[in-house]
Amino acid sequence: MAKIKLMHFALIAMLEDSKRLIDYLQRVGVTELADVSDDALTKYRTGPLVSIFEKKEKTARQAVEAVEHRCKIKRTLIQSLTDYTEIDYHQYRQLCEQADTVMVDCEAVNALTEEIRAQKAEIVRQRTMIDYYRPWESLDIPMNARRTPTTAIFIGLFKSQLQREDVETRLAQELPETDGISVEIISSSKLQTCCMVLCHHSDAEAVETALKACGFIRPDKPAKTLPSAAIAQCKAAIEAAQQEIDACNEAIAQYGEQYDRMRLLADYYAAQKEKYLSMEKAATGRRTLYLEGYVPERDAEQLKFDIEKRFTAQMELDAPELTDDVPVLIENRDFAGGVESITNMYAPPSNRDLDPNPVMAFFYYLLFGMMLSDAGYGILMVLVGLVAKYKIKVQGNLRKTASFALYCGVATTFWGVLFGGFFGNLIPTIRTEFLGLDEGPSLALWFEPAMDSIKLMLFSFLLGIIHLFTGLAIRLVTLWKQGDRIGAVCDTIPIYLFVSGFAVVGKDFIEPVSPQVKSIGLYLLLAGAVLIVLTAGRSAKNIFGKLGGGVYALYNNITGYLGDILSYSRLLALNLVTGVIALVVNKLGAMMGNIVAFIVIFLLGHTMNIVINLIGTYVHTCRLQFVEYFSKFYEGGGKVFTPFKFNLKHFKFKEDTINE
Amino acid sequence: MSNIGLAFALFGAAFAVVFAGIGSAKGVGLVGQASAGALSEDPSLFGKVLILQLLPGTQGLYGFIIAIFVLINTGVLGGAPEAGLAWQKGLMYLASCLPIAFGGLLSGIHQGKVAAAGVSLVAKKPDQSGRAITMASLVEFYAILPFLISFLAVSSIKGIAI
């Protein structure tokens, strides 16, 4: 399993069959359509239809969400992971024929949701008004009152905190000769002082001018009634709006039994949209429909047979020339499938690449396990993976993630056993702190990293060199298959020699090796260097260019590979991080000296350690793959084969009904 | 004055935790702000953005581990503090802690900047999250190198005879 061979097809059918034919292709779901461009043929213009379906899908999804929310349809995490209903195709078609009636319901639900939103806004508005009237609450005349037969009334506010005397004093200063001005403070706060001023109506103008000079402002939205009555009115309005909301909620809840049909409707419109989008790729003559596209080789003959049997159609199959326009279909089983999404995150493989997933998967799990390397954490991951895969039976991409967790867990357990990590130093801690024994023998099958970190660092570099060499080997195979045999040999063999020699000499710096080995290393290093200088510049035109290119390549290889190999020291670093934090957690727990506190700290601390280190390990393993490994051979940039099919979110067709 | 060596060593541990921690705090903070902005547009990006936000957090962790190792090796943690720790050894611990202290400080801040830029990349093109993560993890390497040097140095001081 790796790269699946795709066949190119060209299909001519009668125009009157076009809808049925495209429906059929969508149902079978094994083809990807390619754009047909031929001046002699006409193209469908389905843009407007597509946007109509898009809108309808949105309407339906909104309604589904509203019903889900009001009817309190709750799903557990496990349910939402495997959340689809199986239906057969006939059921689907039947429901689709009632699409319009369900749509009416959806629109009704959306109208109700809209009404709820409006009423909620109304409540907010009324609350603001209540806050606005509140300072005036004790005023016992309407807020917009201006006069009585004999007096003028000024109701308004100052933008500061004032006492009655303050206002009176300031008015007296402005109008020393006017008498009989009455000031009443209605409310006063740090921000404003609300007051009412009364005077004889003959003095009205003078008082108004004086008040304005003191900073008096009339309220911009005075109530026509008593402020207290206005507040009561607002409260009544809020009550009414709340009742309206409750009524709407209840009305929406009535649609609870339509929930499944609404969900199907949303899926239906999504599928319709997809269909009409694909139609744009087809072309039509006066009476014929013309389609082109790709289909996996294993399905090709069957598809041709089925289509020619059902329709008046002719289907031609041929092997496509592998250009960049041809999509790439990668299929892997569990082991390699788990890392597909990581490869695609970098770039999906192109037609020039071999499928990198199987080899990369092995190294990914290996390096991941070495960085996390705790048997306890590994066993937990294995359990999560197993439960997700075989108990909950997650599907699709989640299934691949479950495989990923499973294999990473296996590798983590493997390294954990070698390095003696089980929830850090849980077992020695329990022995010494709770059982009163000695620490006991080392649990490590191999050695403990913290005791001999130089050894682990050298081992990390060795693992890195193996990883890089595998990448180079894939480059050799790829170039060889493409016919560039000189390139295949010249770009890899000298580097093998050079880096191997380099590694031996480097090891000698840290831990001396035997003189024979060292001299072999030196010869390898020299041979590699000479070969690189001689071959790497071969594309240049003259001898100076060739040599210059060679020397430059030698320099690049020295710095490049040195950096690449040193980069694997992160294997040691992350390995230590997990172990040491786990150790600190256990130590903190043991310091409490009581078993309950120990368990609490143990659970909290190790959960934190797992989360932080899972993310760190995931990221750093990705980086080793992307930067160090992929740069040796991988181009990427292919188009992923995305078959034209029903992308139903909540439903799944029963297998056997597809071909009816 | 007999404790001067221990004091130096504790200074070293404090340096490692504090400076690397500042680096991480600034870095994670920067990415957090960018993340909040990106999430306001599209909450479904949370998973991708969270990884980016956690990346500059490791520097603090590295500093913490070095400090723990100093505490263990000097006997402050789990045992009796080595009262007669020679001042030369104390200074050695202090010196060993400096790489992760300053490497962590600066790489944390810069990784935070790269990761924050990565968040805006992911906000526009969610399929590019792999590259955004890779770019940020390139900076990480310059926290790993000082961490390793600090670690190797701290773990070898105990064996030096003075």
Side-chain angles (χ1 to χ4, degrees):
Chain A
M1 287 281 182
K3 238 179 190 172
I4 305 293
K5 201 173 169 208
L6 292 176
M7 299 289 281
H8 175 260
F9 70 84
L11 176 60
I12 292 190
M14 303 302 289
L15 194 54
E16 63 258 33
D17 284 342
S18 61
K19 258 192 113 165
R20 269 179 57 227
L21 178 66
I22 290 191
D23 264 339
Y24 181 75
L25 285 179
Q26 188 171 26
R27 217 165 99 194
V28 180
V30 294
T31 58
E32 177 174 333
L33 298 181
D35 211 9
V36 179
S37 50
D38 190 324
D39 293 341
L41 300 170
T42 353
K43 302 279 287 180
Y44 280 117
R45 293 265 168 272
T46 57
L49 267 175
V50 168
S51 54
I52 288 175
F53 286 127
E54 210 159 56
K55 223 185 247 165
K56 289 192 166 181
E57 186 200 344
K58 207 174 153 201
T59 311
R61 296 234 186 267
Q62 269 172 1
V64 167
E65 207 176 293
V67 172
E68 199 170 282
H69 182 60
R70 312 292 161 200
C71 296
K72 308 252 181 312
I73 295 175
K74 281 212 182 95
R75 277 159 295 156
T76 60
L77 179 67
I78 292 175
Q79 275 170 341
S80 64
L81 287 179
T82 52
D83 188 22
Y84 56 83
T85 317
E86 274 206 337
I87 54 168
D88 66 38
Y89 190 69
H90 290 298
Q91 264 175 306
Y92 174 74
R93 290 249 52 112
Q94 271 173 14
L95 282 163
C96 296
E97 271 157 29
Q98 306 161 359
D100 286 339
T101 53
V102 185
M103 197 65 201
V104 171
D105 289 345
C106 288
E107 275 161 3
V109 168
N110 287 347
L112 288 167
T113 319
E114 197 47 51
E115 180 64 24
I116 291 176
R117 202 169 299 148
Q119 293 297 345
K120 280 189 176 157
E122 178 64 19
I123 291 179
V124 173
R125 218 168 17 248
Q126 296 294 351
R127 289 216 172 110
T128 322
M129 285 318 286
I130 291 181
D131 287 344
Y132 181 78
Y133 293 137
R134 186 79 71 196
W136 301 96
E137 207 176 354
S138 59
L139 182 69
D140 47 10
I141 56 170
M143 266 177 85
N144 61 348
R146 294 270 178 133
R147 61 186 67 84
T148 64
T150 52
T151 59
I153 307 172
F154 300 94
I155 296 174
L157 50 94
F158 295 97
K159 289 274 181 201
S160 56
Q161 189 163 23
L162 297 173
Q163 301 297 324
R164 187 174 164 180
E165 298 80 61
D166 301 331
V167 182
E168 279 173 349
T169 326
R170 288 171 71 174
L171 278 177
Q173 280 166 354
E174 292 284 332
L175 302 166
E177 67 278 13
T178 313
D179 206 9
I181 303 175
S182 139
V183 175
E184 189 183 333
I185 302 288
I186 294 159
S187 73
S188 169
S189 71
K190 269 183 188 157
L191 292 177
Q192 60 174 25
T193 304
C194 301
C195 64
M196 177 173 75
V197 178
L198 286 173
C199 65
H200 193 261
H201 63 80
S202 58
D203 296 329
E205 264 177 48
V207 172
E208 180 157 13
T209 326
L211 277 171
K212 272 190 185 149
C214 301
F216 177 85
I217 323 163
R218 285 189 190 270
D220 48 355
K221 288 172 278 185
K224 294 189 178 73
T225 54
L226 294 181
S228 51
I231 289 176
Q233 232 169 33
C234 291
K235 281 185 175 159
I238 289 177
E239 187 67 25
Q242 194 55 52
Q243 271 169 11
E244 187 69 21
I245 289 175
D246 291 343
C248 287
N249 273 333
E250 237 163 76
I252 291 179
Q254 299 295 319
Y255 288 97
E257 47 203 67
Q258 296 282 350
Y259 178 65
D260 267 334
R261 290 171 73 192
M262 287 179 176
R263 291 211 299 173
L264 186 60
L265 187 74
D267 274 358
Y268 165 70
Y269 281 123
Q272 288 292 90
K273 183 183 82 186
E274 194 92 342
K275 181 165 109 191
Y276 282 93
L277 267 178
S278 291
M279 279 236 209
E280 278 206 330
K281 296 193 172 150
T284 55
R286 211 180 312 159
R287 303 218 155 159
T288 51
L289 172 79
Y290 186 69
L291 283 172
E292 271 186 53
Y294 301 94
V295 55
E297 196 181 23
R298 54 165 187 242
D299 301 316
E301 286 302 327
Q302 183 65 36
L303 182 74
K304 179 175 154 77
F305 177 79
D306 284 344
I307 284 185
E308 289 178 355
K309 194 178 79 184
R310 271 159 212 262
F311 305 95
T312 319
Q314 170 78 24
M315 188 167 171
E316 299 281 338
L317 291 166
D318 60 289
E321 200 182 316
L322 291 177
T323 58
D324 283 346
D325 291 336
V326 180
V328 182
L329 173 60
I330 299 282
E331 262 187 17
N332 283 301
R333 296 193 62 83
D334 286 356
F335 183 75
V339 297
E340 260 174 33
S341 64
I342 293 172
T343 306
N344 289 348
M345 215 158 82
Y346 180 78
S350 74
N351 277 306
R352 291 179 304 278
D353 291 308
L354 296 174
D355 175 13
N357 291 307
V359 185
M360 139 138 178
F362 173 75
F363 279 107
Y364 194 97
Y365 300 138
L366 190 77
L367 301 179
F368 185 100
M370 191 167 157
M371 287 195 228
L372 201 57
S373 81
D374 187 292
Y377 298 173
I379 290 169
L380 283 182
M381 287 172 73
V382 170
L383 286 180
V384 168
L386 285 178
V387 168
K389 258 179 99 166
Y390 299 108
K391 188 83 207 297
I392 308 176
K393 297 202 172 83
V394 290
Q395 295 295 324
N397 279 339
L398 275 175
R399 193 175 172 80
K400 288 185 173 170
T401 312
S403 308
F404 179 71
L406 177 63
Y407 288 108
C408 283
V410 170
T412 307
T413 315
F414 170 74
W415 287 109
V417 170
L418 285 188
F419 293 143
F422 182 80
F423 293 103
N425 60 348
L426 177 66
I427 293 171
T429 307
I430 289 181
R431 278 178 69 100
T432 51
E433 302 290 332
F434 295 105
L435 302 179
L437 301 168
D438 58 346
E439 279 204 357
S442 167
L443 293 168
L445 269 190
W446 193 18
F447 69 98
E448 286 186 33
M451 295 295 126
D452 196 352
S453 33
I454 299 289
K455 188 168 171 184
L456 185 58
M457 191 161 80
L458 287 174
F459 180 70
S460 302
F461 293 153
L462 177 68
L463 212 58
I465 292 173
I466 295 172
H467 193 209
L468 294 173
F469 277 9
T470 318
L472 273 179
I474 300 178
R475 181 184 174 89
L476 195 152
V477 175
T478 315
L479 284 175
W480 190 276
K481 276 194 176 167
Q482 285 171 2
D484 184 7
R485 297 187 177 186
I486 298 175
V489 174
C490 293
D491 277 359
T492 53
I493 303 295
I495 295 177
Y496 278 137
L497 298 177
F498 181 74
V499 175
S500 312
F502 187 77
V504 173
V505 176
K507 166 100 178 7
D508 187 56
F509 267 115
I510 301 172
E511 279 178 3
V513 295
S514 71
Q516 292 96 328
V517 176
K518 192 182 171 187
S519 57
I520 293 176
L522 274 174
Y523 285 125
L524 284 176
L525 182 69
L526 277 177
V530 170
L531 281 175
I532 290 173
V533 172
L534 290 181
T535 60
R538 63 186 180 281
S539 58
K541 287 202 181 74
N542 58 42
I543 183 79
F544 298 109
K546 283 180 201 293
L547 278 180
V551 172
Y552 181 64
L554 180 65
Y555 170 75
N556 263 347
N557 277 318
I558 293 175
T559 52
Y561 277 89
L562 186 64
D564 283 351
I565 294 167
L566 287 182
S567 180
Y568 287 84
S569 59
R570 77 188 66 231
L571 293 177
L572 165 65
L574 280 127
N575 178 305
L576 290 172
V577 171
T578 324
V580 173
I581 294 185
L583 187 135
V584 172
V585 169
N586 290 339
K587 196 159 213 134
L588 274 179
M591 264 155 63
M592 297 294 151
N594 111 32
I595 191 80
V596 180
F598 179 75
I599 291 173
V600 171
I601 291 181
F602 177 85
L603 289 178
L604 287 178
H606 284 285
T607 311
M608 184 202 80
N609 194 19
I610 290 178
V611 171
I612 289 181
N613 279 297
L614 270 187
I615 292 177
T617 308
Y618 166 78
V619 166
H620 284 286
T621 320
C622 283
R623 182 225 139 108
L624 286 178
Q625 300 287 356
F626 292 167
V627 181
E628 274 78 22
Y629 184 59
F630 278 173
S631 65
K632 299 293 168 287
F633 67 96
Y634 188 62
E635 284 185 41
K639 244 172 57 180
V640 179
F641 177 76
T642 34
F644 166 50
K645 61 174 184 187
F646 283 105
N647 284 317
L648 304 186
K649 243 187 181 170
H650 308 296
F651 295 88
K652 198 180 155 191
F653 288 129
K654 287 181 188 149
E655 290 279 332
D656 52 330
T657 57
I658 295 261
N659 275 321
E660 271 171 21
Chain B
M1 286 302 278
S2 66
N3 277 335
I4 192 83
L6 195 59
F8 278 135
L10 290 180
F11 260 119
F15 267 46
V17 177
V18 169
F19 285 106
I22 292 176
S24 275
K26 279 206 93 159
V28 176
L30 272 172
V31 193
Q33 289 170 3
S35 304
L39 290 183
S40 68
E41 293 280 315
D42 182 0
S44 68
L45 291 176
F46 183 68
K48 291 177 172 171
V49 164
L50 182 72
I51 292 182
L52 281 169
Q53 195 186 347
L54 278 172
L55 275 181
T58 39
Q59 279 82 351
L61 224 54
Y62 297 150
F64 171 73
I65 286 173
I66 295 301
I68 288 286
F69 260 88
V70 171
L71 297 187
I72 289 178
N73 280 2
T74 53
V76 174
L77 205 64
E82 213 177 313
L85 190 70
W87 64 270
Q88 293 97 325
K89 273 200 177 182
L91 272 183
M92 282 179 199
Y93 279 117
L94 177 55
S96 310
C97 289
L98 295 184
I100 190 56
F102 294 104
L105 173 66
L106 290 174
S107 74
I109 295 171
H110 285 283
Q111 192 176 23
K113 285 181 183 165
V114 177
V119 168
S120 31
L121 170 65
V122 171
K124 285 196 190 108
K125 297 181 177 166
D127 55 323
Q128 297 292 313
S129 72
R131 286 169 200 188
I133 291 170
T134 308
M135 285 189 292
S137 76
L138 291 184
V139 186
E140 173 94 5
F141 191 48
Y142 302 101
I144 289 182
L145 292 180
F147 167 66
L148 283 175
I149 293 302
S150 285
F151 179 80
L152 294 175
V154 166
S155 52
S156 61
I157 290 174
K158 210 170 186 181
I160 298 174
I162 296 207

